[in-house]
Amino acid sequence: MPHSRPQSVVVIGAGVTGLSAAFHLVEKGVERVVVVDKGGVGGGSSLQSGGIITMLLGAETPIRARAVSLDLFERFGRILDGYEFHQVGCLNLTPREVFDQGAPTRELQKTLGGRFEVLRGQEIRERFPDLRAADDDHGTLDLRGGYSEPHRYIPALRAKLEEMGVEFREHEAVTGFDVRGGRVVGVVTGRGVVEADAAVCAVNAWANHVLSLAGFRIPYKNFVHERFVTKPFPEPPRLPAVNDHILDGYVRPTDDNRILAGTSAHNPWSHDMGGPDFHVGQLEPDPRALPFIRENLVKRAPMLEGAEWDYSTVGLISLAYDVQPVIGPVPGADGLYVGTHFHSGGFAYNPVSGLLLAEHVVDGGTRFDTDIYRPDRFARVDVGAFLSEPIIHDDMGRVRH
Ligand SMILES: Cc1cc2nc3c(=O)[nH]c(=O)nc-3n(C[C@H](O)[C@H](O)[C@H](O)COP(=O)(O)OP(=O)(O)OC[C@H]3O[C@@H](n4cnc5c(N)ncnc54)[C@H](O)[C@@H]3O)c2cc1C
């Protein structure tokens, strides 16, 4: 059957993925876009995010996708009032042996448009005086990478969407789908039915609570993740965003001269959110996380020695069975699309994940091959068995930001 272009779309979830999808849907000519969230805009994990961005991932589709994200972050920096993409670089640090095995990946990254420099211990210290690195530490510095402040990006994107005519319905949970002739023609909330030609599910950690209402489930696990922010320093910290695979964490400067640091090192087990009413405000940072950062990440950023910590945020990262995002049409539910499970990199993905969702919805396909993200790829997985057992993060595989 030929793909029909929808005139109206309802987006479930007002995190960065849903907001970005709404943006691209309007840009692609959808006349009415409604965003529905059971809480407030950004109030899932998006406002908790570290906001670190790089395109130096390990496989072709993710590298291509992140390259588009970088283009879009640069564009958003020009068109969103109050938002700046801080392209201070993103240094991806790995132990020597991992770095040596990564030569083919670096070739691929280069072929796909990555602009990066390889830096070793002394070069890292010279380039970034507030970073410490051992002589044998190796890193690839993504020259187009960096960070965004989620608390500036999200309100700026929301304001742009309102200007573009997107309708927001906050504090309104989706509790069902209106299905006619096997096609989703609206979503059911406590306040009635929101009719639309198509629906996009962008609820990430809550995915199965919503998708199971349409008879579909994804094998995924959620993990608690937190970040900590120091009080401001008198001078801007001289460091890029750092994904640190050696010391098992990440650090970056903030736009107001602080250091932001995070780790998952002490939180290995998957988290069961219970029911659909779960909200991230119920989470507490793991009490072992900040001591870990104090002891370990201080070896990377000596400014953290004796630093005063100001605040922390905590949310969920969500990993599909094969630790790749899930983006595309929902099997068995015509008119319903899903974009979820961006591991710990959903902020960096959001511009492109929203674009790919909009392309699926409006065009019936994406600008480059995104088959590895297809929601129907889990047909051979025993989803029930996977969902019923807790799992350790590293047993699934780790992809940072
Ligand atoms: C501490 C921390 C640090 C992170 N650091 C980084 C980083 O440096 N770089 C990076 O790229 N990523 C990072 N991430 C990951 C990133 O934050 C997430 O992948 C991303 O925010 C997911 O966005 P989302 O829009 O898909 O989901 P969310 O922001 O979680 O939004 C989902 C929304 O769905 C809504 N919802 C749920 N159920 C319903 C329902 N039934 N009806 C209506 N609405 C519903 C929720 O209220 C929520 O607002 C970090 C995450 C955490 C927790």
Side-chain angles (χ1 to χ4, degrees), residues 78-108:
R78 294 191 295 275
I79 65 168
L80 300 184
D81 282 346
Y83 163 67
E84 190 181 339
F85 176 22
H86 300 275
Q87 278 180 300
V88 294
C90 181
L91 181 64
N92 297 283
L93 283 173
T94 44
R96 175 68 196 264
E97 56 283 7
V98 177
F99 178 85
D100 289 344
Q101 290 158 13
T105 306
R106 286 191 291 283
E107 269 315 303
L108 181 64

Side-chain angles (χ1 to χ4, degrees), residues 16-17 19-21 23-24 53 65-76 83 85 148 153 157 342 345-358:
V16 287
T17 308
L19 296 179
S20 167
F23 176 87
H24 293 293
I53 299 159
R66 287 291 186 84
V68 178
S69 256
L70 287 176
D71 294 342
L72 287 165
F73 274 120
E74 289 170 359
R75 179 170 169 230
F76 285 161
Y83 163 67
F85 176 22
S148 296
Y153 178 76
L157 186 50
F342 302 98
F347 192 92
Y349 263 114
N350 90 79
V352 71
S353 50
L355 176 69
L356 296 174
L357 278 164

Side-chain angles (χ1 to χ4, degrees), residues 15-17 37-38 45-46 49-52 174 225 344-348 401:
V16 287
T17 308
D37 199 292
K38 75 186 190 74
S45 290
S46 291
S49 174
I52 292 178
V174 169
H225 196 54
S344 64
F347 192 92
H401 302 147

Side-chain angles (χ1 to χ4, degrees), residues 11-20 35-54 66 73 146-148 150 154 169 171-176 188-189 201-207 209-210 213 223-228 243 250 252 260-263 273 276-280 283 313-318 339-350 353 400-401:
V11 177
I12 313 162
V16 287
T17 308
L19 296 179
S20 167
V35 179
V36 185
D37 199 292
K38 75 186 190 74
V41 169
S45 290
S46 291
L47 278 168
Q48 319 297 316
S49 174
I52 292 178
I53 299 159
T54 178
R66 287 291 186 84
F73 274 120
Y147 72 92
S148 296
I154 291 167
R169 298 174 69 142
H171 307 288
E172 191 172 340
V174 169
T175 54
V188 181
T189 76
C201 175
V203 300
N204 206 37
W206 289 265
H209 291 296
V210 174
L213 301 169
F223 296 86
V224 178
H225 196 54
E226 55 268 288
R227 64 179 169 111
F228 298 84
N243 280 328
Y250 53 91
R252 70 154 169 91
L260 176 153
T263 180
M273 68 159 63
D277 294 337
F278 166 85
H279 60 92
V280 294
L283 298 170
T313 64
V314 55
L316 291 175
I317 58 171
S318 195
T340 56
H341 312 312
F342 302 98
H343 48 85
S344 64
F347 192 92
Y349 263 114
N350 90 79
S353 50
R400 200 182 287 292
H401 302 147

Side-chain angles (χ1 to χ4, degrees), residues 136-174:
D136 212 25
D137 287 351
H138 279 61
T140 42
L141 177 67
D142 185 345
L143 297 168
R144 292 185 70 204
Y147 72 92
S148 296
E149 295 294 3
H151 63 279
R152 303 207 194 281
Y153 178 76
I154 291 167
L157 186 50
R158 182 206 178 127
K160 173 57 88 184
L161 291 174
E162 283 177 337
E163 197 184 297
M164 293 164 88
V166 171
E167 211 179 299
F168 282 90
R169 298 174 69 142
E170 294 173 84
H171 307 288
E172 191 172 340
V174 169

Side-chain angles (χ1 to χ4, degrees), residues 240-384:
V242 183
N243 280 328
D244 194 334
H245 302 274
I246 301 171
L247 296 178
D248 203 359
Y250 53 91
V251 291
R252 70 154 169 91
T254 70
D255 68 356
D256 57 355
N257 299 350
R258 302 162 188 259
I259 291 183
L260 176 153
T263 180
S264 293
H266 285 290
N267 242 347
W269 283 100
S270 53
H271 178 81
D272 179 359
M273 68 159 63
D277 294 337
F278 166 85
H279 60 92
V280 294
Q282 291 166 234
L283 298 170
E284 294 283 342
D286 189 302
R288 295 160 298 184
L290 190 53
F292 176 89
I293 286 170
R294 281 203 181 105
E295 271 169 44
N296 287 278
L297 293 185
V298 73
K299 295 176 200 151
R300 187 66 67 212
M303 287 172 82
L304 293 178
E305 182 79 57
E308 283 188 74
W309 293 90
D310 198 2
Y311 64 92
S312 63
T313 64
V314 55
L316 291 175
I317 58 171
S318 195
L319 278 63
Y321 184 80
D322 55 5
V323 201
Q324 291 295 349
V326 180
I327 305 173
V330 174
D334 272 0
L336 178 60
Y337 301 80
V338 60
T340 56
H341 312 312
F342 302 98
H343 48 85
S344 64
F347 192 92
Y349 263 114
N350 90 79
V352 71
S353 50
L355 176 69
L356 296 174
L357 278 164
E359 289 181 342
H360 275 296
V361 174
V362 177
D363 307 329
T366 52
R367 63 183 55 204
F368 56 90
D369 180 351
T370 55
D371 275 3
I372 69 161
Y373 297 155
R374 287 169 66 106
D376 64 4
R377 69 185 189 265
F378 306 112
R380 297 216 182 103
V381 177
D382 183 343
V383 178

